[in-house]
Amino acid sequence: MAKKPTVYDVAERAGVSIATVSFTFTQPHRVRESTREAVLDAARALGYLPSASARGLARGKTGAIGLFSFDYFGRSSTEAARNAAVRTARGPGQASHDWDSLFSDEANKDFRLFPLYHDEVQRGVEMECRRRGYVLMIGEGHGASTEADIAEIAGRVDGLAVFPNTLPGEILRRISKRIPVVELSNPAEDNRLHRVSVENAGGMALLTEHLIQHHGLRHITFVGPEGSPDREHRFRGYAEAMSVAGLDIRTLPRSGPTDPAADVDRTIHRLRASGHLPQAFVCAVDAEALLYMDALARAGISVPGQVAVTGFDGLVAGLVSRPTLTTIRQPMVELGSTAASILIDEVTKPSPAPVVKELPVKLMVRESCGCGV
Amino acid sequence: MAKKPTVYDVAERAGVSIATVSFTFTQPHRVRESTREAVLDAARALGYLPSASARGLARGKTGAIGLFSFDYFGRSSTEAARNAAVRTARGPGQASHDWDSLFSDEANKDFRLFPLYHDEVQRGVEMECRRRGYVLMIGEGHGASTEADIAEIAGRVDGLAVFPNTLPGEILRRISKRIPVVELSNPAEDNRLHRVSVENAGGMALLTEHLIQHHGLRHITFVGPEGSPDREHRFRGYAEAMSVAGLDIRTLPRSGPTDPAADVDRTIHRLRASGHLPQAFVCAVDAEALLYMDALARAGISVPGQVAVTGFDGLVAGLVSRPTLTTIRQPMVELGSTAASILIDEVTKPSPAPVVKELPVKLMVRESCGCGV
DNA sequence: AGCTTCCATCTATGCGCTTTGATTGAACCC
DNA sequence: GGGTTCAATCAAAGCGCATAGATGGAAGCT
């Protein structure tokens, strides 16, 4: 690691001023061909690479977009996907703790075995950044990220995309005064950030209507972990479709994030005991649906024979599960690329008002609703 | 986007010098409690965030690690995983072009549906970076990346991890003079980069021995796309195990990357016609194994009944395929975290010689070799 | 020839921060 | 009380680059 060469070194070797060196890299047309060659030769010979820090400082822009994502440990959705994979791979008879024996690497538990929601979104961001000549900086956080964590990212990008519930609202508001911030969900509060979301309500209404009209179901219960704005919007779609059809709206709480599988087992048991098992569980997210399919299988209840189950997201896990999962697929990659696009536009030319986009979703009719079995 | 506040603004508001502001953020113990509070209050009031560019320039380090990865379009391994997913989801009778109808988003073809090799490695890099207080910068490339592409990344990180075949060797060598570079594979040439790889030869030997000793197979053919150093090392392991057992070494070329499925179909057809179908195909990578399992199924040949198939990598796709794939699992997450770790160590305290690590692999005995069916 | 234009290049400044070495008081000691 | 120490703070010098404005010279025009 020899001392890093700078514009000064290149300029000296090429016999020009540093301005000329800078120009040959940033505005080649302003430099005569012959001198340009000389500069490039010198740069090559010295192994020169422009320092992004200096460049960013001088220009007042970094040329990078940040994505603030989850950290991956202990998230229940990840758990659910893990379990789904095990069930699929080993058949319903196998307990899910077999997982570790499949992939165990003592020092290296592998928590991430399906491309989940945020993975696909990240891919979209990457693609758009690349297309527009930006680079991507990845940060990870959890609700309680410290100021320092986030400054580490926010200080080095021109725009920031964040998943919901990864950063405290107050910090987000502060950051958004300096750089554009786009949030990837329906609004939890009116914080005037840029925003890209999907047709949560419309999609869920569509799905619910499918169960009502195509399958003639009437006892349909909505389930799913509370606390996310997306969940509320989806519930609204379900509720609307049920009202229109003159059906009762029913929803079940979840006691908590500890051992969700056992929690769902208890719920199923209680419902069956009281004779109130619904004809369908409409779940707020795929991960929850997989959890319910698992629990129903354990209880010896056939899906979709006795009870239908649906999800929302469109994870690959729902495509390889048995039965395959009827769900609403979000355009996750597009979600990411749209977010990046908004940010880059804002960097270039700020708009006075927050940009809000809602992307269409798509009903994926598969087996778990009772179709095609 | 009001004018971004700087140390000067904070210093003025807090009634101190900029040095004191800097110290309260970087060496809090050096400033008196009361002034520290004053500075932090001022910073909060102004919405101050330190500029990473300025900081990087002043410190001579950026605090970021780069990962140079593939771009995702048109890669055959991705194709193979896609097809495996379809086969799994729809049963062997369904053609794989059904895929698009499953997930179609006109404007947004979704090429990335399983966590492939590089996804898992990336996760490892992310984890280690986070643990050590670095941020991650993602770049994507293809063999022909321009100098400018790569400078964009290399100029803004303290260390760079690269997948093999993503950057021309000469550029890599140049970059490695300025910042540590670690390559994620066995060496293609002796370029004196840092390196982390896995026991390619040993793992493949182990797998081959399993087929020979446990299943008593004797006609075993090695297949897999050429051109990667990893492939060569794996072939060596296979060849050694065969030699030790006194068996013939056989390998099949692949005609090219265009329509690999048809290519494999032809290969199978030709082998069967000539009566030389082997008892097992030992594949250099999981993706290739999935391709062979597909082709064999299309030809009406039972796996593992008539022919065994094995892979190498340990992708999730091989866990959900039918039959499940016997393979060698690489510790991919650990591969990534080790790479990041090497880089960060080098940034802190450069070592005189290239650091080379080889990680252990693990034999995953599943169904496609003939076990447990 | 004398004028203007225009192009290629250079000089000089500043981007926001870190860090060294200097300065100032206050506390301490004999 | 004079000298010593130490903690807290500050002034100033870069870090490597972009860029506005200055400069000089060649070409074009009358």
Side-chain angles (χ1 to χ4, degrees), chain B residues 12-31:
Chain B
E12 186 178 346
R13 190 175 226 267
V16 298
S17 76
I18 62 162
T20 302
V21 174
S22 180
F23 284 144
T24 77
F25 284 103
T26 57
Q27 314 179 42
H29 62 275
R30 285 193 51 175
V31 359

mmCIF file of all heavy atoms in Angstrom, chain B residues 12-31:
data_model
loop_
_atom_site.group_PDB
_atom_site.id
_atom_site.type_symbol
_atom_site.label_atom_id
_atom_site.label_comp_id
_atom_site.label_asym_id
_atom_site.label_seq_id
_atom_site.Cartn_x
_atom_site.Cartn_y
_atom_site.Cartn_z
ATOM 1 N N GLU B 12 -20.196 28.163 16.375
ATOM 2 C CA GLU B 12 -20.644 29.517 16.647
ATOM 3 C C GLU B 12 -21.809 29.518 17.639
ATOM 4 O O GLU B 12 -21.811 30.253 18.619
ATOM 5 C CB GLU B 12 -21.077 30.179 15.332
ATOM 6 C CG GLU B 12 -21.429 31.643 15.509
ATOM 7 C CD GLU B 12 -21.806 32.273 14.181
ATOM 8 O OE1 GLU B 12 -21.531 31.633 13.131
ATOM 9 O OE2 GLU B 12 -22.376 33.368 14.182
ATOM 10 N N ARG B 13 -22.753 28.629 17.360
ATOM 11 C CA ARG B 13 -23.935 28.587 18.212
ATOM 12 C C ARG B 13 -23.594 28.155 19.637
ATOM 13 O O ARG B 13 -24.201 28.600 20.607
ATOM 14 C CB ARG B 13 -24.954 27.612 17.622
ATOM 15 C CG ARG B 13 -26.316 27.651 18.282
ATOM 16 C CD ARG B 13 -27.267 26.738 17.536
ATOM 17 N NE ARG B 13 -28.546 27.366 17.299
ATOM 18 C CZ ARG B 13 -29.597 27.244 18.108
ATOM 19 N NH1 ARG B 13 -29.480 26.565 19.223
ATOM 20 N NH2 ARG B 13 -30.733 27.812 17.802
ATOM 21 N N ALA B 14 -22.615 27.275 19.748
ATOM 22 C CA ALA B 14 -22.265 26.779 21.077
ATOM 23 C C ALA B 14 -21.215 27.663 21.737
ATOM 24 O O ALA B 14 -20.856 27.462 22.900
ATOM 25 C CB ALA B 14 -21.751 25.352 20.962
ATOM 26 N N GLY B 15 -20.700 28.614 20.999
ATOM 27 C CA GLY B 15 -19.698 29.521 21.551
ATOM 28 C C GLY B 15 -18.354 28.869 21.806
ATOM 29 O O GLY B 15 -17.675 29.155 22.790
ATOM 30 N N VAL B 16 -17.990 27.949 20.927
ATOM 31 C CA VAL B 16 -16.678 27.298 21.065
ATOM 32 C C VAL B 16 -15.984 27.296 19.713
ATOM 33 O O VAL B 16 -16.523 27.809 18.738
ATOM 34 C CB VAL B 16 -16.825 25.848 21.562
ATOM 35 C CG1 VAL B 16 -17.463 25.807 22.934
ATOM 36 C CG2 VAL B 16 -17.620 25.031 20.560
ATOM 37 N N SER B 17 -14.812 26.721 19.647
ATOM 38 C CA SER B 17 -14.108 26.628 18.363
ATOM 39 C C SER B 17 -14.493 25.339 17.656
ATOM 40 O O SER B 17 -15.028 24.418 18.276
ATOM 41 C CB SER B 17 -12.606 26.644 18.576
ATOM 42 O OG SER B 17 -12.190 25.388 19.052
ATOM 43 N N ILE B 18 -14.203 25.294 16.380
ATOM 44 C CA ILE B 18 -14.572 24.089 15.632
ATOM 45 C C ILE B 18 -13.834 22.861 16.134
ATOM 46 O O ILE B 18 -14.331 21.740 16.038
ATOM 47 C CB ILE B 18 -14.321 24.251 14.121
ATOM 48 C CG1 ILE B 18 -12.841 24.470 13.852
ATOM 49 C CG2 ILE B 18 -15.167 25.365 13.544
ATOM 50 C CD1 ILE B 18 -12.462 24.215 12.408
ATOM 51 N N ALA B 19 -12.651 23.065 16.668
ATOM 52 C CA ALA B 19 -11.896 21.922 17.184
ATOM 53 C C ALA B 19 -12.670 21.262 18.313
ATOM 54 O O ALA B 19 -12.754 20.031 18.394
ATOM 55 C CB ALA B 19 -10.525 22.374 17.667
ATOM 56 N N THR B 20 -13.256 22.070 19.150
ATOM 57 C CA THR B 20 -14.019 21.529 20.269
ATOM 58 C C THR B 20 -15.236 20.757 19.760
ATOM 59 O O THR B 20 -15.578 19.699 20.288
ATOM 60 C CB THR B 20 -14.462 22.656 21.201
ATOM 61 O OG1 THR B 20 -13.292 23.340 21.648
ATOM 62 C CG2 THR B 20 -15.213 22.108 22.387
ATOM 63 N N VAL B 21 -15.860 21.279 18.744
ATOM 64 C CA VAL B 21 -16.999 20.564 18.168
ATOM 65 C C VAL B 21 -16.544 19.197 17.675
ATOM 66 O O VAL B 21 -17.149 18.168 17.976
ATOM 67 C CB VAL B 21 -17.618 21.355 17.005
ATOM 68 C CG1 VAL B 21 -18.703 20.534 16.323
ATOM 69 C CG2 VAL B 21 -18.175 22.678 17.496
ATOM 70 N N SER B 22 -15.458 19.220 16.945
ATOM 71 C CA SER B 22 -14.938 17.969 16.423
ATOM 72 C C SER B 22 -14.633 16.992 17.556
ATOM 73 O O SER B 22 -14.988 15.815 17.491
ATOM 74 C CB SER B 22 -13.690 18.252 15.596
ATOM 75 O OG SER B 22 -13.167 17.055 15.080
ATOM 76 N N PHE B 23 -14.006 17.502 18.582
ATOM 77 C CA PHE B 23 -13.642 16.633 19.697
ATOM 78 C C PHE B 23 -14.865 16.032 20.377
ATOM 79 O O PHE B 23 -14.840 14.869 20.777
ATOM 80 C CB PHE B 23 -12.825 17.412 20.739
ATOM 81 C CG PHE B 23 -11.403 17.631 20.312
ATOM 82 C CD1 PHE B 23 -10.736 18.802 20.629
ATOM 83 C CD2 PHE B 23 -10.729 16.667 19.588
ATOM 84 C CE1 PHE B 23 -9.421 19.012 20.237
ATOM 85 C CE2 PHE B 23 -9.411 16.866 19.183
ATOM 86 C CZ PHE B 23 -8.757 18.046 19.514
ATOM 87 N N THR B 24 -15.903 16.819 20.525
ATOM 88 C CA THR B 24 -17.046 16.232 21.235
ATOM 89 C C THR B 24 -17.646 15.059 20.485
ATOM 90 O O THR B 24 -18.269 14.196 21.082
ATOM 91 C CB THR B 24 -18.174 17.248 21.521
ATOM 92 O OG1 THR B 24 -18.900 17.474 20.325
ATOM 93 C CG2 THR B 24 -17.639 18.561 22.035
ATOM 94 N N PHE B 25 -17.412 15.030 19.183
ATOM 95 C CA PHE B 25 -17.944 13.889 18.445
ATOM 96 C C PHE B 25 -16.965 12.727 18.364
ATOM 97 O O PHE B 25 -17.368 11.567 18.341
ATOM 98 C CB PHE B 25 -18.359 14.298 17.029
ATOM 99 C CG PHE B 25 -19.644 15.064 17.005
ATOM 100 C CD1 PHE B 25 -19.637 16.443 16.838
ATOM 101 C CD2 PHE B 25 -20.847 14.410 17.190
ATOM 102 C CE1 PHE B 25 -20.829 17.160 16.841
ATOM 103 C CE2 PHE B 25 -22.044 15.128 17.196
ATOM 104 C CZ PHE B 25 -22.028 16.498 17.027
ATOM 105 N N THR B 26 -15.693 13.048 18.312
ATOM 106 C CA THR B 26 -14.735 11.973 18.085
ATOM 107 C C THR B 26 -13.983 11.553 19.337
ATOM 108 O O THR B 26 -13.543 10.416 19.429
ATOM 109 C CB THR B 26 -13.711 12.378 17.007
ATOM 110 O OG1 THR B 26 -13.068 13.587 17.416
ATOM 111 C CG2 THR B 26 -14.411 12.622 15.680
ATOM 112 N N GLN B 27 -13.801 12.488 20.280
ATOM 113 C CA GLN B 27 -13.082 12.142 21.503
ATOM 114 C C GLN B 27 -13.742 12.834 22.690
ATOM 115 O O GLN B 27 -13.136 13.695 23.329
ATOM 116 C CB GLN B 27 -11.620 12.579 21.408
ATOM 117 C CG GLN B 27 -10.957 12.206 20.102
ATOM 118 C CD GLN B 27 -9.512 12.678 20.046
ATOM 119 O OE1 GLN B 27 -8.759 12.574 21.009
ATOM 120 N NE2 GLN B 27 -9.110 13.223 18.908
ATOM 121 N N PRO B 28 -14.958 12.408 22.985
ATOM 122 C CA PRO B 28 -15.785 13.094 23.981
ATOM 123 C C PRO B 28 -15.077 13.300 25.326
ATOM 124 O O PRO B 28 -15.308 14.283 26.009
ATOM 125 C CB PRO B 28 -16.970 12.132 24.153
ATOM 126 C CG PRO B 28 -16.983 11.284 22.940
ATOM 127 C CD PRO B 28 -15.581 11.201 22.462
ATOM 128 N N HIS B 29 -14.205 12.371 25.676
ATOM 129 C CA HIS B 29 -13.563 12.464 26.988
ATOM 130 C C HIS B 29 -12.651 13.680 27.099
ATOM 131 O O HIS B 29 -12.289 14.098 28.185
ATOM 132 C CB HIS B 29 -12.763 11.203 27.262
ATOM 133 C CG HIS B 29 -11.653 10.990 26.273
ATOM 134 N ND1 HIS B 29 -11.845 10.365 25.067
ATOM 135 C CD2 HIS B 29 -10.357 11.360 26.299
ATOM 136 C CE1 HIS B 29 -10.691 10.334 24.395
ATOM 137 N NE2 HIS B 29 -9.781 10.949 25.122
ATOM 138 N N ARG B 30 -12.293 14.206 25.967
ATOM 139 C CA ARG B 30 -11.357 15.332 26.006
ATOM 140 C C ARG B 30 -12.042 16.669 26.226
ATOM 141 O O ARG B 30 -11.383 17.706 26.265
ATOM 142 C CB ARG B 30 -10.549 15.390 24.697
ATOM 143 C CG ARG B 30 -9.482 14.314 24.634
ATOM 144 C CD ARG B 30 -8.520 14.580 23.508
ATOM 145 N NE ARG B 30 -7.993 15.943 23.526
ATOM 146 C CZ ARG B 30 -7.072 16.402 22.706
ATOM 147 N NH1 ARG B 30 -6.565 15.605 21.799
ATOM 148 N NH2 ARG B 30 -6.653 17.630 22.773
ATOM 149 N N VAL B 31 -13.366 16.680 26.279
ATOM 150 C CA VAL B 31 -14.028 17.967 26.497
ATOM 151 C C VAL B 31 -14.891 17.911 27.754
ATOM 152 O O VAL B 31 -15.461 16.871 28.089
ATOM 153 C CB VAL B 31 -14.832 18.405 25.245
ATOM 154 C CG1 VAL B 31 -14.714 17.407 24.137
ATOM 155 C CG2 VAL B 31 -16.254 18.700 25.560
#
